[in-house]
Amino acid sequence: MQTERLQSWITAEWQRSVLPALREYISIPNQSPAYDPEWRTNGLLERALGVARQWIEAQRLGGLRVETVVLPGRTPLLLLEADGGREGTVLLYGHLDKQPPFEGWRAGLGPFEPVLEGDRLYGRGGADDGYAVFAIVTAWRALQEFGARFPRCVALIECSEESGSGDLEAYVEHLRDRIGRPDLVVCLDSGCGDYERLWATVSLRGLVNAVLRIRVLEEGVHSGAASGVVPSTFRIARQLLGRIEDDKTGRILLDYAWCPIPEQRLAEAEEVARVVGPALRDAFPFYRGARPVSADPLELVLNRTWRPQLEVVGASGLPPVANAGNVLRPMTELKLSLRLPPRVNAAGVAQALQRRLEEDPPYGADVVLEIGEAASGWDSPALTAELQRLLHAASLAYWGKPPCFMGEGGTIPFMGMLGRLFPAAQFVVTGVLGPHSNAHGPNEFLHLPTAERITCAVAHVLAEWTGAGAEAE
């Protein structure tokens, strides 16, 4: 590959062609189905998919087949097939649905108002994960422009990822004959520890989402009359959470939620801690005086990749402070998010969690745990020597530094599914979600130089990939 010319061409195409389409995509409030009960009728997912499809067709890529696939009752999917003239099959992935807007966007920014500031494109969905389809097709175009052959490629661009990819497996089964048997899977929906090198994700945590409901009264009553007689549902909630989490250390008290850390993953975590170091703290917008749970970068890396962690991500039954009277509330409802190590069975943890929280409720309160999602994590198969060489070469060529291999703290449910369906495939999982990019939160941005370099890296890997059965290292 003529790396300098390729990078210059891809950077120019991003500025000329991709950015205008991404701006249009960001402006569409196409939230994922879990957050938009009217998605079937408002046409927003179809509109976002239409923007991507119109842009793709305007690229006039030779041999490209573009199809919108819609199974009954499911979100739409964009299917792309490109024959690069070489043997082998590569499956590529991206998604177009978005997280809800969230609060706290700074002045001048908004979730559906694309704003370019320097090398950052702000707006919901640009980094997570709208950029992916544009990167994939631009990489294919670059390969054709430079006369490089590449394997047959199939790209699946779905619209339910932020809701747990509930529709994706049905589409994969529906399209199995057209997908074939990929020897390489490329996913562009992950993160990066910094913007200075290629980051390859080698593991993802699992997740159990659940709603804990506690009720002691039919209706709220005067707290002066009832407190000391009627138990507080908030106190009961604290007691129940104490069954599953040490409130001083954050250690999860469910044995089912733990697993040994493989030696290879520990070595990779040590390298990530060495490379990123104190930047792990700086990656998050700590309020003045607040600090991380540990000063040791390795502990932080392991905490967010191979150790279970609990967060209360939502609550009901508590009025806003401004409207809160002296009332003993009848109920408290908490949404729990329990992250799990990659090799832990999420369904088993969900059952253990339900037993622990519902059994012997304090004061005979009505306690119900409703499990929402139980998604196991993913641990990548060992990379072959060939793929390791390609990733090192791509990182050196387009970033000037060797790559890093890291576990990611988030959950991508479909990765485990793809691993089961294609057990012989190799995986390249990467992305643009680096420090402060803030996917799911306010002020989400796409770091454009990283997006451009990832496009180069995809082109590089596709041009050089042979799918040879080299032994894994």
Side-chain angles (χ1 to χ4, degrees), residues 336-374:
L336 310 181
S337 175
L338 178 61
R339 300 285 177 175
L340 301 170
R343 295 187 176 186
V344 167
N345 181 279
V349 172
Q351 294 175 4
L353 184 68
Q354 191 161 35
R355 288 194 301 269
R356 186 71 63 89
L357 292 177
E358 289 185 349
E359 65 187 6
D360 191 20
Y363 305 102
D366 182 63
V367 174
V368 176
L369 185 74
E370 180 182 325
I371 303 296
E373 177 184 7

Short mmCIF file of all heavy atoms in Angstrom, two decimals, residues 336-374:
data_model
loop_
_atom_site.label_atom_id
_atom_site.label_comp_id
_atom_site.label_asym_id
_atom_site.label_seq_id
_atom_site.Cartn_x
_atom_site.Cartn_y
_atom_site.Cartn_z
N LEU A 336 -30.66 -0.73 37.91
CA LEU A 336 -29.31 -1.19 38.19
C LEU A 336 -28.60 -1.61 36.91
O LEU A 336 -29.19 -2.24 36.04
CB LEU A 336 -29.35 -2.39 39.15
CG LEU A 336 -30.18 -2.23 40.42
CD1 LEU A 336 -30.09 -3.50 41.26
CD2 LEU A 336 -29.75 -1.02 41.22
N SER A 337 -27.33 -1.25 36.83
CA SER A 337 -26.48 -1.66 35.72
C SER A 337 -25.27 -2.37 36.30
O SER A 337 -24.43 -1.74 36.95
CB SER A 337 -26.05 -0.44 34.89
OG SER A 337 -25.13 -0.81 33.88
N LEU A 338 -25.21 -3.68 36.11
CA LEU A 338 -24.12 -4.49 36.66
C LEU A 338 -23.24 -4.97 35.51
O LEU A 338 -23.66 -5.79 34.69
CB LEU A 338 -24.69 -5.68 37.42
CG LEU A 338 -23.67 -6.67 38.03
CD1 LEU A 338 -22.77 -5.96 39.03
CD2 LEU A 338 -24.38 -7.85 38.68
N ARG A 339 -22.03 -4.42 35.43
CA ARG A 339 -21.05 -4.84 34.42
C ARG A 339 -20.32 -6.09 34.90
O ARG A 339 -19.98 -6.20 36.07
CB ARG A 339 -20.05 -3.73 34.13
CG ARG A 339 -20.66 -2.46 33.60
CD ARG A 339 -21.08 -2.58 32.16
NE ARG A 339 -21.73 -1.35 31.69
CZ ARG A 339 -22.11 -1.13 30.46
NH1 ARG A 339 -21.93 -2.06 29.53
NH2 ARG A 339 -22.71 0.00 30.12
N LEU A 340 -20.07 -7.00 33.95
CA LEU A 340 -19.52 -8.30 34.30
C LEU A 340 -18.24 -8.59 33.52
O LEU A 340 -18.09 -8.15 32.38
CB LEU A 340 -20.54 -9.40 33.98
CG LEU A 340 -21.89 -9.28 34.70
CD1 LEU A 340 -22.88 -10.28 34.13
CD2 LEU A 340 -21.71 -9.49 36.20
N PRO A 341 -17.32 -9.38 34.08
CA PRO A 341 -16.12 -9.79 33.33
C PRO A 341 -16.50 -10.55 32.06
O PRO A 341 -17.57 -11.17 31.98
CB PRO A 341 -15.38 -10.68 34.32
CG PRO A 341 -15.84 -10.23 35.66
CD PRO A 341 -17.28 -9.84 35.47
N PRO A 342 -15.62 -10.52 31.06
CA PRO A 342 -15.96 -11.08 29.75
C PRO A 342 -16.37 -12.55 29.76
O PRO A 342 -17.19 -12.95 28.94
CB PRO A 342 -14.66 -10.88 28.95
CG PRO A 342 -14.01 -9.70 29.59
CD PRO A 342 -14.33 -9.80 31.05
N ARG A 343 -15.81 -13.36 30.64
CA ARG A 343 -16.07 -14.80 30.58
C ARG A 343 -17.18 -15.26 31.55
O ARG A 343 -17.37 -16.45 31.73
CB ARG A 343 -14.78 -15.57 30.87
CG ARG A 343 -13.70 -15.35 29.82
CD ARG A 343 -12.51 -16.25 30.05
NE ARG A 343 -11.52 -16.12 28.99
CZ ARG A 343 -10.42 -16.87 28.88
NH1 ARG A 343 -10.19 -17.82 29.78
NH2 ARG A 343 -9.56 -16.69 27.89
N VAL A 344 -17.90 -14.32 32.14
CA VAL A 344 -18.96 -14.67 33.08
C VAL A 344 -20.28 -14.81 32.34
O VAL A 344 -20.60 -14.01 31.45
CB VAL A 344 -19.06 -13.58 34.18
CG1 VAL A 344 -20.34 -13.73 34.97
CG2 VAL A 344 -17.85 -13.66 35.10
N ASN A 345 -21.07 -15.82 32.72
CA ASN A 345 -22.37 -16.05 32.12
C ASN A 345 -23.39 -15.08 32.71
O ASN A 345 -23.73 -15.16 33.90
CB ASN A 345 -22.81 -17.50 32.35
CG ASN A 345 -24.16 -17.78 31.71
OD1 ASN A 345 -25.20 -17.46 32.26
ND2 ASN A 345 -24.13 -18.40 30.54
N ALA A 346 -23.88 -14.16 31.90
CA ALA A 346 -24.76 -13.10 32.39
C ALA A 346 -26.10 -13.65 32.87
O ALA A 346 -26.67 -13.15 33.85
CB ALA A 346 -24.98 -12.06 31.30
N ALA A 347 -26.63 -14.67 32.20
CA ALA A 347 -27.92 -15.23 32.61
C ALA A 347 -27.83 -15.83 34.01
O ALA A 347 -28.75 -15.67 34.83
CB ALA A 347 -28.38 -16.28 31.60
N GLY A 348 -26.73 -16.51 34.30
CA GLY A 348 -26.53 -17.07 35.63
C GLY A 348 -26.43 -16.00 36.70
O GLY A 348 -26.98 -16.14 37.80
N VAL A 349 -25.73 -14.91 36.39
CA VAL A 349 -25.61 -13.81 37.33
C VAL A 349 -26.97 -13.16 37.56
O VAL A 349 -27.33 -12.79 38.69
CB VAL A 349 -24.60 -12.76 36.83
CG1 VAL A 349 -24.61 -11.52 37.71
CG2 VAL A 349 -23.20 -13.37 36.81
N ALA A 350 -27.76 -13.00 36.51
CA ALA A 350 -29.08 -12.40 36.64
C ALA A 350 -29.94 -13.21 37.60
O ALA A 350 -30.65 -12.65 38.46
CB ALA A 350 -29.75 -12.31 35.27
N GLN A 351 -29.89 -14.54 37.51
CA GLN A 351 -30.67 -15.38 38.41
C GLN A 351 -30.18 -15.24 39.85
O GLN A 351 -30.98 -15.14 40.79
CB GLN A 351 -30.58 -16.83 37.96
CG GLN A 351 -31.26 -17.11 36.63
CD GLN A 351 -31.04 -18.54 36.16
OE1 GLN A 351 -30.44 -19.36 36.85
NE2 GLN A 351 -31.52 -18.85 34.96
N ALA A 352 -28.85 -15.23 40.03
CA ALA A 352 -28.29 -15.08 41.38
C ALA A 352 -28.64 -13.72 41.96
O ALA A 352 -28.94 -13.60 43.16
CB ALA A 352 -26.77 -15.27 41.33
N LEU A 353 -28.60 -12.69 41.15
CA LEU A 353 -28.93 -11.33 41.59
C LEU A 353 -30.39 -11.27 42.04
O LEU A 353 -30.71 -10.67 43.08
CB LEU A 353 -28.68 -10.36 40.44
CG LEU A 353 -28.88 -8.87 40.71
CD1 LEU A 353 -27.82 -8.37 41.68
CD2 LEU A 353 -28.80 -8.09 39.39
N GLN A 354 -31.27 -11.89 41.29
CA GLN A 354 -32.69 -11.86 41.63
C GLN A 354 -32.95 -12.59 42.96
O GLN A 354 -33.70 -12.10 43.81
CB GLN A 354 -33.50 -12.50 40.50
CG GLN A 354 -35.00 -12.29 40.63
CD GLN A 354 -35.69 -12.53 39.31
OE1 GLN A 354 -35.30 -13.38 38.52
NE2 GLN A 354 -36.74 -11.76 39.04
N ARG A 355 -32.30 -13.73 43.13
CA ARG A 355 -32.47 -14.46 44.39
C ARG A 355 -31.97 -13.64 45.57
O ARG A 355 -32.64 -13.53 46.60
CB ARG A 355 -31.72 -15.80 44.34
CG ARG A 355 -32.35 -16.85 43.44
CD ARG A 355 -31.74 -18.23 43.72
NE ARG A 355 -30.29 -18.23 43.50
CZ ARG A 355 -29.73 -18.54 42.34
NH1 ARG A 355 -30.46 -18.85 41.28
NH2 ARG A 355 -28.40 -18.55 42.21
N ARG A 356 -30.80 -13.04 45.41
CA ARG A 356 -30.19 -12.30 46.52
C ARG A 356 -31.02 -11.10 46.93
O ARG A 356 -31.12 -10.77 48.13
CB ARG A 356 -28.78 -11.85 46.12
CG ARG A 356 -27.98 -11.19 47.24
CD ARG A 356 -27.55 -12.19 48.30
NE ARG A 356 -26.66 -13.21 47.76
CZ ARG A 356 -25.33 -13.08 47.70
NH1 ARG A 356 -24.75 -11.98 48.16
NH2 ARG A 356 -24.59 -14.05 47.22
N LEU A 357 -31.63 -10.42 45.97
CA LEU A 357 -32.36 -9.20 46.29
C LEU A 357 -33.80 -9.45 46.71
O LEU A 357 -34.37 -8.68 47.51
CB LEU A 357 -32.33 -8.24 45.09
CG LEU A 357 -30.96 -7.65 44.77
CD1 LEU A 357 -31.03 -6.78 43.52
CD2 LEU A 357 -30.41 -6.86 45.94
N GLU A 358 -34.41 -10.51 46.21
CA GLU A 358 -35.83 -10.73 46.51
C GLU A 358 -36.07 -11.56 47.76
O GLU A 358 -37.14 -11.46 48.38
CB GLU A 358 -36.52 -11.40 45.32
CG GLU A 358 -36.69 -10.49 44.11
CD GLU A 358 -37.49 -11.14 43.00
OE1 GLU A 358 -37.74 -12.38 43.08
OE2 GLU A 358 -37.87 -10.44 42.05
N GLU A 359 -35.09 -12.39 48.17
CA GLU A 359 -35.33 -13.30 49.29
C GLU A 359 -35.33 -12.53 50.62
O GLU A 359 -34.57 -11.58 50.80
CB GLU A 359 -34.28 -14.40 49.32
CG GLU A 359 -32.87 -13.91 49.59
CD GLU A 359 -31.83 -15.00 49.46
OE1 GLU A 359 -32.20 -16.12 49.03
OE2 GLU A 359 -30.65 -14.74 49.74
N ASP A 360 -36.23 -12.93 51.51
CA ASP A 360 -36.32 -12.39 52.86
C ASP A 360 -36.26 -10.85 52.87
O ASP A 360 -35.35 -10.25 53.46
CB ASP A 360 -35.17 -12.95 53.72
CG ASP A 360 -35.36 -12.63 55.20
OD1 ASP A 360 -36.50 -12.35 55.61
OD2 ASP A 360 -34.35 -12.65 55.93
N PRO A 361 -37.22 -10.19 52.26
CA PRO A 361 -37.17 -8.72 52.16
C PRO A 361 -37.30 -8.06 53.53
O PRO A 361 -38.09 -8.51 54.38
CB PRO A 361 -38.38 -8.38 51.29
CG PRO A 361 -39.31 -9.54 51.43
CD PRO A 361 -38.44 -10.75 51.63
N PRO A 362 -36.54 -7.02 53.83
CA PRO A 362 -36.64 -6.31 55.10
C PRO A 362 -38.06 -5.81 55.35
O PRO A 362 -38.72 -5.29 54.44
CB PRO A 362 -35.66 -5.15 54.94
CG PRO A 362 -34.69 -5.61 53.89
CD PRO A 362 -35.49 -6.46 52.96
N TYR A 363 -38.53 -5.99 56.57
CA TYR A 363 -39.85 -5.50 57.01
C TYR A 363 -41.00 -6.08 56.18
O TYR A 363 -42.10 -5.51 56.18
CB TYR A 363 -39.91 -3.96 56.96
CG TYR A 363 -38.82 -3.28 57.73
CD1 TYR A 363 -37.71 -2.75 57.07
CD2 TYR A 363 -38.87 -3.19 59.12
CE1 TYR A 363 -36.70 -2.12 57.79
CE2 TYR A 363 -37.86 -2.57 59.85
CZ TYR A 363 -36.78 -2.04 59.17
OH TYR A 363 -35.78 -1.43 59.88
N GLY A 364 -40.76 -7.16 55.47
CA GLY A 364 -41.82 -7.74 54.66
C GLY A 364 -42.23 -6.87 53.49
O GLY A 364 -43.32 -7.05 52.92
N ALA A 365 -41.35 -5.95 53.09
CA ALA A 365 -41.66 -5.06 51.97
C ALA A 365 -41.87 -5.86 50.69
O ALA A 365 -41.36 -6.98 50.54
CB ALA A 365 -40.53 -4.05 51.77
N ASP A 366 -42.63 -5.29 49.78
CA ASP A 366 -42.80 -5.90 48.46
C ASP A 366 -41.57 -5.54 47.63
O ASP A 366 -41.37 -4.38 47.26
CB ASP A 366 -44.06 -5.37 47.79
CG ASP A 366 -44.30 -6.01 46.44
OD1 ASP A 366 -44.51 -7.23 46.39
OD2 ASP A 366 -44.25 -5.29 45.42
N VAL A 367 -40.73 -6.53 47.37
CA VAL A 367 -39.48 -6.31 46.62
C VAL A 367 -39.51 -7.18 45.37
O VAL A 367 -39.67 -8.39 45.44
CB VAL A 367 -38.25 -6.68 47.48
CG1 VAL A 367 -36.97 -6.58 46.65
CG2 VAL A 367 -38.16 -5.77 48.70
N VAL A 368 -39.35 -6.52 44.23
CA VAL A 368 -39.34 -7.21 42.95
C VAL A 368 -38.15 -6.73 42.14
O VAL A 368 -37.91 -5.52 42.03
CB VAL A 368 -40.65 -6.95 42.16
CG1 VAL A 368 -40.57 -7.60 40.78
CG2 VAL A 368 -41.85 -7.48 42.93
N LEU A 369 -37.39 -7.67 41.59
CA LEU A 369 -36.32 -7.32 40.65
C LEU A 369 -36.73 -7.79 39.27
O LEU A 369 -36.91 -8.99 39.04
CB LEU A 369 -35.00 -7.97 41.04
CG LEU A 369 -33.81 -7.54 40.17
CD1 LEU A 369 -33.39 -6.12 40.50
CD2 LEU A 369 -32.63 -8.50 40.30
N GLU A 370 -36.89 -6.86 38.37
CA GLU A 370 -37.27 -7.17 36.99
C GLU A 370 -36.03 -7.11 36.11
O GLU A 370 -35.45 -6.04 35.91
CB GLU A 370 -38.33 -6.19 36.49
CG GLU A 370 -38.78 -6.46 35.06
CD GLU A 370 -39.80 -5.44 34.58
OE1 GLU A 370 -40.62 -4.99 35.39
OE2 GLU A 370 -39.74 -5.08 33.38
N ILE A 371 -35.61 -8.25 35.60
CA ILE A 371 -34.42 -8.31 34.75
C ILE A 371 -34.78 -7.77 33.37
O ILE A 371 -35.74 -8.21 32.74
CB ILE A 371 -33.89 -9.75 34.62
CG1 ILE A 371 -33.59 -10.34 36.00
CG2 ILE A 371 -32.65 -9.79 33.73
CD1 ILE A 371 -32.49 -9.64 36.76
N GLY A 372 -33.99 -6.81 32.90
CA GLY A 372 -34.22 -6.26 31.57
C GLY A 372 -33.35 -6.91 30.51
O GLY A 372 -33.83 -7.48 29.54
N GLU A 373 -32.06 -6.86 30.71
CA GLU A 373 -31.10 -7.39 29.74
C GLU A 373 -30.02 -8.16 30.47
O GLU A 373 -29.53 -7.73 31.52
CB GLU A 373 -30.46 -6.24 28.95
CG GLU A 373 -29.41 -6.65 27.95
CD GLU A 373 -28.73 -5.46 27.27
OE1 GLU A 373 -28.98 -4.32 27.67
OE2 GLU A 373 -27.93 -5.70 26.34
N ALA A 374 -29.67 -9.32 29.95
CA ALA A 374 -28.57 -10.11 30.48
C ALA A 374 -27.70 -10.52 29.30
O ALA A 374 -27.99 -11.48 28.61
CB ALA A 374 -29.08 -11.32 31.25
#
